Amino acid sequence: MPHDPNAHLDQMLLDLIDHSPIGAVPATPSYMDTLRRLIAAHQVYASADHKGGYVTARSLAARPVFHANNLEAFLSGKIEATALESNASIYSRYVGSLPAAQQARAEGMRILVAGKPAHHRAKHVGDQKILAHDPIHSLFLVPGTGPHPGVPGNYLYGSTLQLRVDDGSAWSVHIHDSDDGMAFCDVGSVAAAFEKLQEVLASAPFNMNELSALGFSFK
């Protein structure tokens, strides 16, 4: 097998980043060249937690993903989509997984990421009382980065989103970084949306630009 002349320096820099509390990289020409190469190879991302710092994809691979904890029950038909774990609960589990120093900042982003609670409204059709609901919007968070770093803990956030409130609605899967980076994939059914979500969860950690391989487009 041919010897990779960069392998030793690559490994050294990955180790330096992993062992630095802030993901610092020495500002020498050789390390900067190595850093650029590792970023291009999606092995290193800019840190969401330390300005000027970096984080390795291999360290993020050990991080949990967050989604509705009863997703399997929904996919097997045991519950309706409206019974999925709430976004507020999913987000609270994510915040609780973070180091204490990052939790306050994450809480400050709760409305941005998790949104406001869904509303259920009763309406009467003849003598029947029907409970109407907002389109389903189920939150997930995965380790990774985009054109900009993610939210605290180096997470991207997104949702499986029902586009209309009816059984035949199209769906979409959206993924965001902490700024204006966004990837989306429109699909024709709820089953296809959650299949796409499973592909995303299985692919983490990733740079959003890698999602084109899964059929995502970008804004």
Side-chain angles (χ1 to χ4, degrees), residues 70-84:
N70 52 357
L71 181 59
E72 288 188 8
F74 167 70
L75 294 173
S76 65
K78 295 178 181 177
I79 63 171
E80 297 294 327
T82 51
L84 285 166

Side-chain angles (χ1 to χ4, degrees), residues 168-188:
S169 173
W171 286 66
S172 190
V173 180
H174 291 187
I175 303 176
H176 304 265
D177 61 22
S178 63
D179 200 316
D180 59 359
M182 175 183 172
F184 67 96
C185 183
D186 295 335
V187 294

